[in-house]
Structures are given as structure tokens and as C-alpha cells.
Amino acid sequence: MVFSLPATPAEKAKFRQYLATISVTLGMTVVGEMFGWPSPTLPKLQHPTAVAPLHLDHRQTSWVVSLLYLGNMLSPIPAGFLMDRLGRKRSLVWLSILPISSWVLILLARSAVHLYAARLLAGFWIGIVTTISPIYIGEIAEPKIRGALGNFVSLMTYSGDLFVYVIGPYVSYHALAVIAGLVPVLFLLTFSLMPESPYYFLMHKEKAKARESLRWFRGDKEKEDLEAEIDKMEENVTRQMQNKGRVIDIFTSRANRKAFFIVQMMAIFVKFSGTGVMMAFASTTLPKDAFKSLGPSECVIILGLTWVVFAMVSMLLVDRLGRKILLSFSSFGCGVAMLLAGFWFYMDSATSVDVHSTNWIPFTSFVFHGIVYSLGLGPIGMAIKGEMLAANIKANVSAITSIVLALSSLFLNRIYLLIADSLGMYVNYWMFAGSCFLATAFTAIVVVETKGKTLQEIQDELARNKRPSNPQEDS
């Protein structure tokens, strides 16, 4: 089959939207690298005989891990402010100096303090890019492919994780820093060439620039069709921007309140599904002799590969089946996997039953969890804020969501081993199962289907109420 460049406006539009999405989510690949970096690197820095530029004790190691989350919590609010003042593109391009500087500091580090600074800068970038990139994607995407494009946020994060897990154990400390550091440079070079979101220009009443941006994203389609879309977009943005985007505006209309509630709950469900801590502590959680041919590094690589492959599958399904079906199936499946893993840990630690012959169950449960998580809860739960939020609250709510994600991650990383030591490992997994089953019910009852709808149609759906309502409240 001979490859040919897109020729029709529809083909150009799809190609350009995918190109811009891949470019902006290279920033999320950097996030995956930063989350994954400690796994292959810290053992080298802790081993007294390892060839490394410095060595860390347990206290220093804890700070290296924790400062990432501190930076992640501090940067979303400024990022939300900047994305509305400077623009989505300009904010990300200018601030890409943070991850580049982080990898340079890691490369040149000669003391723990250098790593502290590097990880704090990395955390700043995580908070910034997770706040801005889903909004950018939601604003440039056509309804028919918006779900697939939104899934790139998670797919590229998983890819960054997997990239570090695969090469980290087999290259030197310095080689890993150089290789991983090339990704934010690639992000800077490619995303600098992409247009700004047309929504940002319309928010600042720059319709001519918005038209040029939209023309590029829509593949140079017919002038009449382009004008109709830009006029409708302008009308919607103007209506949504009547309130100036104060935090209080999140709660002044039914649509905003419901969108805020859905987005925050999905962020919590994503983290409390257990995926992050499961991956982080896999080497200490899994039975040591579960698979004689697989070590901790290989198990983590298999889990990471599972995420990437099935996140790709989700991209093919999300705009066909819809968000609610995939979310419900995924959340329920994650709950079953965690329930099973918890049952095994309970039998192992709280009973006299010999479970040695079933040591394969926890890892198999983790893999199944990874499959169903990557089909729905992970990618859709992370991308949903790009679809749900009105123009005037996007910056504030996206920033709040990034902080909720960071706090949830920090909380779970701190309590995971504490619960395991004081109550039993099985309590962690039954807690994750309960969260997943709650997410299933929440999706069925509360979440709004966004498949095939424009951003304004989603706002109209959020504002709708079964009982007669005050028209002013829905405005």
C-alpha cells in the first residue's frame, strides 16, 4: 500500500488535528518519563558499589520522590492563569524550559540537592502540562474524533513510563538522562510549529487569528463552512465568557457545577483505582517467586506495555461506543481485578491457607486491571476535562483538577505501605475495588455522554434538568 498525503479538506483536518495532538502530548511523554525515572535509577543511587555520580540514603531518596509531587501541586494555579493570559501554546512552549532544565540538572548532578531541584522543576512541568494540554486538545478537535485525540494524554504518558522502564535498567545513569532529555527538546521543536487554539483567540476577541487557526485545523475547508463554524464558536465563547472566570463562577450555574463535580470525581477515581501505586510498588508487592523467569523490572515492563497497547485499542473504540460504556465496563473490570488481588493477599496474610501454588494471581490481576483500566477509566478519566468545561472556568477547574490528581497520588503513595504494615496489604486492594465499583455507579448515574457532541452541546446537556428549572440558573 502506497502512502499518500491527505488531499481533501476532511483528510487534511484529521491529519492536522492528530499531528497537533501528538505534538502537544509529547509533553505528557515527559511526564511519564519523570514518573518512571525513579524505578530504574534509585537502586543505582542507593547501592554503595554502583557506578553513579552520587549516592543517596533513605531520607534523601524520600525527598527525591516527594518533591515531584510538591512541584505538581504548586504549578497548576499559575498554569491556569497563564493559559488564559499568554495562550495555551505560548505557555507550554515558554515553560518547556522546566523539563529541559530538570534533565540537565539530573545529568550534571553531584549532590542530592541537585536532584531535589531537578525533581521540583519536573513537578512544576507535570502540573503545567496536565492542566493545559487536555484543554488545548478539546478545543482543536472535531466532535467525531475528540475522544480518540483526548486519549493521547494517557497514551503518551504511558509511553513515557514504558520508555524509561525498558531502557533504564540497561543503560547508565547519564545515558538515561541524555536520552530522556531529548523528548522535551523534541516537544519544544514540534509544538512551536503548531497553531494556537482558536478558542483562546476568540476569548480575546481576535476573530481573524481564530479564523486562521481554525482554517488550519479544519484542513482549509470551504470558506462558507469555515465562517459558519467560527461564527457559532464565537457565539458560544461570548456567551460562556459573560462571567469572567472567577472561582465563584464554577458554582453559579448548573452546567458548571455538574461539570466541576464530574471532572473532580473522575480524577479521584482514576487515582484511587490503584494503578499508580500498583506500578510504583510492584517490586515489593508481588510474590517474589510468582514467575521464576520474570524479575521486578520485567513485570513492570509487561504492565507498562499493557497500558500502551490497550490505550491504543481504546482510541479505536471511544468515538464508536461512547465514553459511558467504556467507563462503566472499565471501572467494573478494575474493581473485579482489585477484589481478586485483595482476596489473594487476604488468604496469604490473614489465614493459614497455603497460597504458594497460586502466586500467579496477583500479577495476573494487575495485568487484567491494566487492560481494562487502559480501555476506559485511565484515558477517558484524564481527558474528560477537555470536553466538559465552559470557556470561562476552564483555567480554574483544570488547575484544581491537576492539584486533586497530585494530592491523590501523594496521599496514596504515603499510605500504601502504612496500610500494608498496620492492617494488611489486602486492605489497600479492597479499598481500590470499592473505589472502582463506586466509579461504575457514578458513571451510570451522573456522567454525561459526550460522544459526537460539540462543546456547546455538552454544555447544554450539563445544564438540562428533569424538573422545571429557573431559566436564569441554567444560563
Side-chain angles (χ1 to χ4, degrees):
M1 181 178 178
V2 179
F3 174 78
S4 59
L5 291 173
T8 67
E11 291 173 347
K12 287 181 182 178
K14 188 174 182 180
F15 174 78
R16 290 174 180 178
Q17 288 169 59
Y18 270 92
L19 184 65
T21 299
I22 291 170
S23 176
V24 73
T25 53
L26 280 171
M28 297 302 303
T29 304
V30 179
V31 171
E33 290 180 330
M34 290 166 169
F35 278 129
W37 178 81
S39 181
T41 305
L42 291 182
K44 298 175 184 177
L45 300 181
Q46 292 175 306
H47 200 287
T49 61
V51 179
L54 69 157
H55 293 90
L56 303 176
D57 59 30
H58 289 300
R59 181 184 62 83
Q60 292 169 327
T61 299
S62 177
W63 275 110
V64 167
V65 174
S66 299
L67 282 169
L68 185 80
Y69 296 103
L70 176 62
N72 190 1
M73 286 185 283
L74 293 177
S75 61
I77 297 297
F81 174 83
L82 290 173
M83 68 182 273
D84 275 355
R85 299 307 185 274
L86 299 178
R88 286 76 163 121
K89 173 189 170 180
R90 205 182 317 175
S91 297
L92 288 174
V93 169
W94 288 4
L95 293 171
S96 63
I97 189 63
L98 294 173
I100 294 172
S101 299
S102 175
W103 286 117
V104 170
L105 276 171
I106 288 172
L107 176 66
L108 302 178
R110 291 295 179 271
S111 73
V113 174
H114 296 149
L115 290 184
Y116 296 164
R119 295 293 282 174
L120 188 63
L121 292 178
F124 288 156
W125 175 250
I126 292 172
I128 290 163
V129 72
T130 54
T131 298
I132 299 175
S133 61
I135 301 301
Y136 178 83
I137 294 168
E139 291 178 345
I140 69 169
E142 292 176 292
K144 62 185 177 182
I145 60 171
R146 193 174 57 241
L149 296 183
N151 279 18
F152 269 96
V153 172
S154 292
L155 172 63
M156 297 295 267
T157 306
Y158 304 156
S159 298
D161 258 323
L162 181 61
F163 180 61
V164 171
Y165 292 147
V166 169
I167 68 170
Y170 311 108
V171 300
S172 70
Y173 170 92
H174 292 102
L176 179 59
V178 171
I179 295 168
L182 292 175
V183 179
V185 175
L186 182 61
F187 165 80
L188 174 61
L189 294 175
T190 59
F191 192 55
S192 296
L193 303 176
M194 297 299 115
E196 177 59 87
S197 159
Y199 271 79
Y200 167 74
F201 288 128
L202 290 174
M203 287 168 63
H204 291 268
K205 303 188 183 305
E206 297 182 272
K207 189 173 181 179
K209 291 182 179 180
R211 184 184 294 109
E212 285 305 307
S213 172
L214 190 64
R215 177 180 288 116
W216 192 86
F217 285 119
R218 296 300 181 261
D220 305 315
K221 70 179 182 180
E222 293 293 333
K223 184 177 180 180
E224 294 79 7
D225 294 335
L226 184 71
E227 285 300 318
E229 183 172 359
I230 196 71
D231 288 345
K232 186 67 174 176
M233 192 178 289
E234 182 183 34
E235 176 188 336
N236 295 335
V237 170
T238 301
R239 180 166 54 182
Q240 293 171 19
M241 291 297 293
Q242 287 176 350
N243 295 316
K244 291 298 183 181
R246 302 161 299 170
V247 173
I248 192 64
D249 293 329
I250 297 171
F251 308 102
T252 55
S253 77
R254 181 178 296 110
N256 287 352
R257 288 194 300 271
K258 188 169 184 178
F260 177 78
F261 182 53
I262 291 172
V263 170
Q264 302 317 308
M265 290 304 300
M266 291 311 304
I268 292 170
F269 290 140
V270 164
K271 291 302 179 181
F272 275 78
S273 70
T275 302
V277 289
M278 206 163 56
M279 181 69 86
F281 294 101
S283 60
T284 58
T285 299
L286 292 171
K288 295 294 184 286
D289 57 347
F291 298 98
K292 290 183 172 56
S293 59
L294 295 178
S297 295
E298 288 75 16
C299 288
V300 170
I301 288 171
I302 291 172
L303 289 172
L305 186 61
T306 300
W307 290 358
V308 171
V309 170
F310 283 90
M312 291 180 181
V313 174
S314 177
M315 289 172 58
L316 301 175
L317 298 176
V318 65
D319 287 312
R320 292 179 172 86
L321 299 180
R323 283 56 156 169
K324 291 191 68 165
I325 290 176
L326 283 178
L327 271 176
S328 298
F329 169 78
S330 173
S331 300
F332 185 78
C334 287
V336 171
M338 293 296 89
L339 196 64
L340 180 60
F343 181 73
W344 187 91
F345 286 116
Y346 174 78
M347 297 297 291
D348 181 49
S349 63
T351 73
S352 58
V353 176
D354 182 5
V355 294
H356 184 269
S357 61
T358 59
N359 275 0
W360 52 270
I361 288 179
F363 182 64
T364 304
S365 298
F366 286 12
V367 171
F368 179 70
H369 180 282
I371 291 172
V372 290
Y373 173 86
S374 300
L375 284 175
L377 183 57
I380 298 172
M382 289 293 290
I384 200 167
K385 67 181 178 182
E387 299 184 307
M388 289 273 180
L389 305 177
N392 66 320
I393 66 166
K394 282 182 180 180
N396 286 329
V397 176
S398 187
I400 292 169
T401 308
S402 295
I403 293 172
V404 168
L405 288 166
L407 285 171
S408 298
S409 294
L410 180 61
F411 175 74
L412 288 172
N413 276 278
R414 297 299 294 176
I415 70 165
Y416 183 81
L417 293 180
L418 292 175
I419 289 177
D421 292 339
S422 59
L423 300 175
M425 184 64 73
Y426 64 92
V427 176
N428 280 311
Y429 289 88
W430 285 350
M431 177 179 68
F432 301 151
S435 174
C436 293
F437 291 136
L438 186 59
T440 307
F442 182 83
T443 299
I445 298 168
V446 181
V447 173
V448 171
E449 179 58 74
T450 60
K451 171 190 169 186
K453 295 175 182 175
T454 66
L455 297 183
Q456 183 57 44
E457 287 170 342
I458 295 170
Q459 291 302 305
D460 294 340
E461 178 71 19
L462 288 165
R464 197 168 296 140
N465 193 15
K466 293 180 181 179
R467 61 177 175 78
S469 60
N470 183 347
Q472 290 184 338
E473 187 182 3
D474 288 334
S475 63

